Amino acid sequence: MNGDVVIRNPNFNDPDVKATSDEMTNYKPIVEDEKEEDRELSQMGLFSWRPKFLEPLNRPVTFLISFGLSNFFLVQCVGTLSIMLPTIEKVFNLSSKETGLILMANDIAGPVAGIILANYCSTRKARSIAIGMLVVMIATLFQTSTTLFAEYPEPTTGMVVTVKSTKTVIGLCNETFSDDSNNNADTDTAARNYKYYWMFIVGAFAQGLGGTPPGIAGNTYLDEIYPQSQFGIAIAVLYVISFLGFPVSLLIGGTYLSYYVTLATPEGITPADAQWIGAWWLGLLIPCMFIALFSFPIMLFPRQMPAAKVNAVFFKHIQREVTRL
């Protein structure tokens, strides 16, 4: 055979022409009769807008970084909320049972969204991931907006010592006096804020809905765009970046609470005082900004990357040749 390999060379129109060893070494699969629609589905962009300058970013590693960082801040939203719950209980006059319902609403929405959105996520993976991230962002902003409507009591000047239900205030000249009226005012203010409780329930449920598509479509999309030998490394990198979001949220959450809720610290009180109300809403607002920053590029990724398309064509060709032997 003079070193010829006995399989057909797909680069020739004549199926009987044999391929030499050198030709097989330089083998590049050819996609025949590629439709314009297929080319659009493999290019980055949104709808009919698919500019050429985005093509250098149409790579698996770009998607992995964007998706990993989006997950990092998505986990931060959930983790920071658990840190802020005691402050939210205080501001909105909630019980521990009611704050538990907020977390439960998030968990209930996940299975519901998985059943409803499974089919859509399997066909439009990158877009469903980005839409899910944006839904989480909007839901978190909806919860954060309650700080615009909530009433916050004016702190009492002086050192406050709480004894049962009565506040004893030590004035600047060391005189003491009872301040039951201020204690009742704080309770009345929190009671008026209770009407915004439903916004946390709705927001948590929407967070669960939005957090489901990335979990369904993310791993599947990575499996398609990465070769089998690199898929395990890609998944490991994704999980490491994502899991770091929770401990980071625990560290940063305390920093947010060291600022007063109005960002203007009243005179005479410190974070150690019982009257202090930390800026709980900052812990939810800042991760939302980064989710929006990294989720928009994810929406631009095509249904099928060029690298994944070449791998699929090559595998199909090898499978066809094996069946002919």
Side-chain angles (χ1 to χ4, degrees):
M1 298 283 296
N2 297 326
D4 291 348
V5 180
V6 188
I7 66 172
R8 295 180 179 86
N9 186 350
N11 292 326
F12 293 94
N13 294 327
D14 188 355
D16 294 328
V17 176
K18 305 299 187 298
T20 64
S21 299
D22 293 337
E23 289 171 335
M24 290 305 299
T25 302
N26 300 323
Y27 166 71
K28 294 181 180 179
I30 295 176
V31 182
E32 298 180 356
D33 300 329
E34 185 179 22
K35 298 180 181 179
E36 182 66 25
E37 181 182 358
D38 295 335
R39 285 195 292 269
E40 290 182 358
L41 293 178
S42 62
Q43 295 176 358
M44 287 191 69
L46 193 61
F47 302 112
S48 60
W49 180 70
R50 300 184 183 274
K52 295 289 186 181
F53 67 84
L54 290 177
E55 285 310 300
L57 300 176
N58 196 6
R59 302 172 59 190
V61 65
T62 310
F63 173 80
L64 178 61
I65 294 174
S66 301
F67 185 40
L69 291 175
S70 296
N71 269 337
F72 175 82
F73 292 104
L74 180 68
V75 173
Q76 269 201 28
C77 284
V78 179
T80 306
L81 180 62
S82 62
I83 297 296
M84 305 303 175
L85 280 180
T87 303
I88 293 175
E89 287 182 5
K90 179 179 179 180
V91 173
F92 295 94
N93 195 31
L94 305 179
S95 64
S96 299
K97 179 180 178 180
E98 289 168 331
T99 54
L101 290 176
I102 295 175
L103 299 178
M104 189 177 71
N106 189 310
D107 296 333
I108 292 176
V112 174
I115 296 173
I116 298 175
L117 302 176
N119 184 49
Y120 179 82
C121 293
S122 62
T123 57
R124 297 178 178 271
K125 299 178 182 65
R127 188 172 298 179
S128 62
I129 292 171
I131 292 175
M133 294 288 186
L134 293 177
V135 169
V136 172
M137 182 201 69
I138 294 173
T140 306
L141 290 178
F142 184 69
Q143 292 177 326
T144 307
S145 66
T146 55
T147 193
L148 301 175
F149 310 111
E151 301 179 32
Y152 297 103
E154 289 293 333
T156 304
T157 304
M159 184 174 63
V160 180
V161 181
T162 303
V163 181
K164 293 184 180 180
S165 61
T166 303
K167 287 183 180 178
T168 302
V169 179
I170 303 177
L172 299 178
C173 300
N174 290 330
E175 70 276 13
T176 61
F177 56 91
S178 176
D179 191 17
D180 290 334
S181 60
N182 191 72
N183 189 33
N184 294 332
D186 292 354
T187 304
D188 293 341
T189 300
R192 288 194 296 271
N193 291 338
Y194 180 80
K195 59 187 176 183
Y196 303 115
Y197 170 59
W198 67 271
M199 297 179 68
F200 286 97
I201 294 291
V202 173
F205 189 83
Q207 283 177 337
L209 293 177
T212 302
I216 295 176
N219 293 350
T220 307
Y221 194 67
L222 285 174
D223 186 32
E224 292 180 358
I225 64 179
Y226 273 98
Q228 194 66 30
S229 59
Q230 300 177 7
F231 174 68
I233 299 176
I235 287 293
V237 171
L238 173 65
Y239 283 173
V240 168
I241 296 176
S242 302
F243 289 156
L244 285 176
F246 190 77
V248 170
S249 68
L250 300 181
L251 295 174
I252 298 180
T255 304
Y256 294 140
L257 293 177
S258 64
Y259 296 96
Y260 196 69
V261 67
T262 59
L263 299 183
T265 305
E267 296 183 1
I269 66 169
T270 64
D273 294 328
Q275 299 179 92
W276 184 269
I277 300 176
W280 60 270
W281 54 272
L282 272 179
L284 302 178
L285 177 63
I286 293 179
C288 283
M289 298 169 60
F290 286 99
I291 290 176
L293 177 65
F294 292 109
S295 60
F296 180 72
I298 295 177
M299 188 176 293
L300 302 179
F301 280 96
R303 294 189 191 181
Q304 189 179 47
M305 285 190 184
K309 191 169 187 179
V310 170
N311 291 335
V313 172
F314 180 76
F315 178 77
K316 184 182 294 185
H317 168 71
I318 295 299
Q319 188 179 31
R320 183 172 63 249
E321 293 296 335
V322 169
T323 57
R324 290 180 179 177
L325 293 178

